[in-house]
Amino acid sequence: MPYTAQAPNRRESNEELKARIPGWGVDLDPADRPAFPQERFAPEVTGAHWDFPERQPGAETRERSIEHRFVTPVFGTSAPLHGLSGAIRRFAYDKFSEGRAAHWLILIAGDRVDAAGSHLRSFFTLRPDNPVSETGVKAELTHGGFRSRFGRGRADNRHTWIDSILIAGPWVLAGVAAFSIVRRLAKR
Amino acid sequence: MRAMVYRGPYKVRVEEKDIPRIEHPNDAIVRVTHAAICGSDLHLYHGMMPDTRVGTTFGHEFIGVVHEVGPSVQNLKVGDRVMVPFNVYCGSCYFCARGLYSNCHNVNPNATAVGGIYGYSHTCGGYDGGQAEYVRVPFADVGPSIIPDWMEEEDALMLTDALATGYFGAQLGDIVEGDTVAVFGAGPVGLYAAKSAWLMGAGRVIVIDHLDYRLEKARTFAHAETLNFNEYNDIVVEMKKTTDYLGADVAIDAVGAEADGNLTQHITSAKFKLQGGSPVALNWAIDSVRKGGTVSVMGAYGPIFSAVKFGDAMNKGLTLNMNQCPVKRQWPRLFEHVRNGYLKPNDLVTHRIPLEHIAEGYHIFSSKLDDCIKPIIVPDAS
């Protein structure tokens, strides 16, 4: 008990643990643990054969955190900024440091504009977004949706229903809005 | 090539994309043979990570075969079978020179607070990930390693993040002989952390979750005691009772941003994105550990603030250790443990999903259907 000086008795001795658990204690010495100490100066082991990496082309237009002096020598190019969402994101990068909540909240706003715009644009392509196939909800039927969720005391059952609203809600609202616009135009 | 593509929160599909090209002299292009979905991919999938752009390919756990190398690559050649750490890192900056590979300063222009991660939003550098047929691997002389001949491919895949991170989480606990270690979360990383805690000399390992099938795995795979927090009114009190009211010596948060157990915390973070993460497991860890104890955090949180019980941590004199795992530092020791049979990584793989069915894969993992613990993606199977 913590109310007296002695530590609680061990439930199992080292010998019992070694007999029960393969490898028990092989890394007991911190020196055998590879991330100990967490900081260890050893640039020679990394494989790098440069003091500063050669610069990847394309940095001129690349957005960056204003906490960086320059665009890092290497960077990802998976989805360059574009359109309205790109302008929102660039604003977040240009105006606010990572220390400001505004930086992140504006980026999340940009994410939602990006998603909505992409959905809309997809309807003018040969492969429009399909909320049924893209959510993978078919797996509810093929991988035991009911038996996996119910009668098993899962804590997440209390909020799973919110997902349906978050996922389907915008589509339903957009559908209602589109229908009402078409109906008004038809009445004219 | 075929690649998983993000279309917005909760929506992904497979699209035809250009095969990535060499963009830097030390790049390699790797043909992916196996990839995995990580629990942290679900934070992206649920729209929690700022600057996650439509069109991005996720996937930071992958292995494959070198398809092409840039002109300055010395250590790899076309045809090599490689495992790639989830960290993108240069090997030469202030942080890499000190072993903090996950905190590299030369690979992520979008943020200084996090390094580079494959397929993990522009907040982590804007790199496409490995849930595709091909992927660009920057700093090919630094990150990837050739897969040893004796190692099974699925074991190598688990070493690119989940096992390395779990083992790293146990290290962050600074475990000493006989310690009682509480692991919050019985997902793959938590299970690997529990198993690793024994290697470091733990006297008791207790795993806490709400999914019985994962707790069963904690007992059989990780030899741990288990507590289902849903069966108790207050899991913190239960932790005190089971440790004779002392508290655990070490508590490990292996859950991160979408923790369950407190409806308000979960909804404000995972559903409405008003917090960087739901710190339920972290708060439980802080309150369950003994005064003067250590809390290890390798569960992932977003960059926005979270409602963490910092006063309790301060008043209890806790040591909080945390980081993204510098994967390659762990490998030599973990290779030994796998070869000696102390760790059997692919015991946690439950689902093998063709790339074409990636949307169902995400839904199964996200919704914990079919007793899913670890799903892997097989591009070739399509």
Side-chain angles (χ1 to χ4, degrees):
Chain A
M1 289 215 304
Y3 306 98
T4 56
Q6 293 303 314
N9 291 330
R10 292 266 303 269
R11 292 193 174 188
E12 293 177 279
S13 67
N14 289 0
E15 288 64 38
E16 288 170 319
L17 288 166
K18 277 179 188 169
R20 186 167 75 84
I21 295 162
W24 183 88
V26 293
D27 290 336
L28 194 53
D29 183 351
D32 289 329
R33 302 176 190 176
F36 177 85
Q38 197 173 175
E39 287 193 34
R40 185 173 55 201
F41 188 77
E44 71 283 357
V45 304
T46 66
H49 42 86
W50 48 81
D51 290 326
F52 180 79
E54 198 169 320
R55 286 185 178 275
Q56 176 181 329
E60 305 77 22
T61 56
R62 184 62 160 76
E63 76 284 356
R64 65 171 169 87
S65 165
I66 54 175
E67 293 181 44
H68 264 304
R69 178 180 291 182
F70 44 67
V71 171
T72 54
V74 167
F75 50 87
T77 54
S78 65
L81 296 177
H82 66 92
L84 178 59
S85 65
I88 293 169
R89 285 163 167 149
R90 192 173 288 283
F91 176 74
Y93 281 108
D94 286 349
K95 296 294 179 192
F96 300 104
S97 77
E98 298 160 58
R100 304 278 293 275
H103 177 84
W104 303 110
L105 295 171
I106 293 170
L107 285 175
I108 286 184
D111 291 352
R112 298 300 170 264
V113 170
D114 187 12
S118 298
H119 292 326
L120 200 59
R121 279 195 302 279
S122 78
F123 292 117
F124 299 96
T125 69
L126 293 175
R127 196 181 175 196
D129 276 313
N130 179 338
V132 175
S133 65
E134 290 175 9
T135 54
V137 70
K138 193 175 71 177
E140 292 287 334
L141 301 175
T142 59
H143 287 75
F146 188 85
R147 73 174 152 78
S148 299
R149 292 181 190 281
F150 300 107
R152 311 187 79 180
R154 288 175 52 160
D156 54 341
N157 280 347
R158 284 184 290 170
H159 56 71
T160 301
W161 57 273
I162 297 174
D163 292 343
S164 312
I165 296 172
L166 290 174
I167 298 165
W171 291 83
V172 172
L173 287 175
V176 169
F179 178 73
S180 64
I181 290 169
V182 169
R183 197 172 61 173
R184 280 187 190 179
L185 289 174
K187 279 182 180 175
R188 287 181 186 177
Chain B
M1 69 164 184
R2 308 288 281 166
M4 167 274 181
V5 164
Y6 174 69
R7 294 295 304 166
Y10 297 84
K11 289 180 281 297
V12 298
R13 70 184 186 191
V14 174
E15 287 184 7
E16 198 68 37
K17 293 175 87 168
D18 292 337
I19 293 177
R21 58 184 178 80
I22 300 288
E23 297 185 57
H24 180 274
N26 210 247
D27 280 357
I29 306 301
V30 169
R31 179 173 60 79
V32 178
T33 55
H34 291 76
I37 306 176
C38 177
S40 60
D41 284 329
L42 298 180
H43 309 329
L44 299 173
Y45 176 66
H46 295 150
M48 292 184 71
M49 192 67 171
D51 209 358
T52 301
R53 301 181 189 174
V54 171
T56 302
T57 296
F58 298 167
H60 54 268
E61 301 182 1
F62 59 90
I63 62 171
V65 177
V66 176
H67 173 73
E68 185 181 359
V69 293
S72 82
V73 175
Q74 301 175 357
N75 300 337
L76 294 180
K77 62 182 188 306
V78 172
D80 284 343
R81 292 167 64 238
V82 289
M83 48 203 290
V84 182
F86 77 81
N87 324 109
V88 181
Y89 66 107
C90 73
S92 60
C93 70
Y94 177 96
F95 303 103
C96 286
R98 287 159 177 79
L100 301 173
Y101 305 155
S102 51
N103 309 108
C104 177
H105 214 62
N106 274 334
V107 291
N108 181 4
N110 298 76
T112 58
V114 61
I117 301 177
Y118 292 96
Y120 210 77
S121 81
H122 274 68
T123 294
C124 295
Y127 298 92
D128 267 333
Q131 290 166 10
E133 291 179 321
Y134 295 87
V135 61
R136 172 195 171 206
V137 174
F139 295 117
D141 282 334
V142 176
S145 277
I146 292 174
I147 300 172
D149 289 337
W150 54 268
M151 187 179 285
E152 293 181 26
E153 290 199 316
E154 289 185 358
D155 287 344
L157 178 62
M158 294 300 103
L159 278 158
T160 61
D161 179 2
L163 174 58
T165 295
Y167 180 83
F168 179 67
Q171 283 179 93
L172 290 177
D174 288 336
I175 296 166
V176 300
E177 184 180 325
D179 268 355
T180 294
V181 179
V183 180
F184 289 88
V189 169
L191 293 169
Y192 288 134
K195 183 103 172 170
S196 301
W198 294 120
L199 305 184
M200 296 168 205
R204 283 180 79 187
V205 178
I206 305 166
V207 176
I208 300 99
D209 203 293
H210 69 110
L211 297 168
D212 280 328
Y213 75 91
R214 291 189 175 189
L215 291 173
E216 170 66 18
K217 200 69 173 179
R219 292 188 288 273
T220 56
F221 172 80
H223 316 286
E225 301 169 48
T226 59
L227 290 173
N228 184 329
F229 69 74
N230 225 14
E231 294 176 0
Y232 301 98
N233 182 47
D234 188 330
I235 193 64
V236 171
V237 174
E238 204 56 35
M239 281 298 301
K240 293 290 167 65
K241 286 181 182 172
T242 194
T243 55
D244 204 12
Y245 288 89
L246 179 67
D249 299 292
V250 175
I252 299 173
D253 171 7
V255 181
E258 295 186 65
D260 262 304
N262 179 308
L263 199 58
T264 305
Q265 290 270 29
H266 185 88
I267 289 176
T268 54
S269 55
K271 307 303 183 201
F272 297 117
K273 332 300 180 196
L274 301 173
Q275 297 192 69
S278 160
V280 182
L282 179 53
N283 287 340
W284 282 346
I286 288 170
D287 286 331
S288 299
V289 78
R290 70 168 168 84
K291 284 175 247 188
T294 301
V295 172
S296 153
V297 187
M298 78 314 198
Y301 290 85
I304 307 176
F305 37 75
S306 297
V308 178
K309 298 186 69 180
F310 217 79
D312 284 359
M314 185 273 175
N315 289 320
K316 292 176 74 171
L318 303 185
T319 299
L320 272 63
N321 291 329
M322 61 202 87
N323 204 348
Q324 297 273 357
C325 175
V327 170
K328 200 170 180 180
R329 268 183 82 173
Q330 323 303 312
W331 278 355
R333 188 66 173 166
L334 287 176
F335 284 13
E336 289 177 34
H337 291 338
V338 172
R339 194 160 203 183
N340 289 331
Y342 301 152
L343 297 169
K344 189 74 186 83
N346 78 349
D347 277 356
L348 297 188
V349 176
T350 53
H351 291 71
R352 295 162 181 85
I353 297 166
L355 179 62
E356 295 302 321
H357 296 164
I358 190 84
E360 284 75 24
Y362 268 87
H363 187 82
I364 291 166
F365 192 37
S366 170
S367 301
K368 280 88 177 172
L369 303 184
D370 201 28
D371 290 355
C372 183
I373 293 177
K374 186 69 178 177
I376 65 174
I377 305 297
V378 190
D380 289 339
S382 61

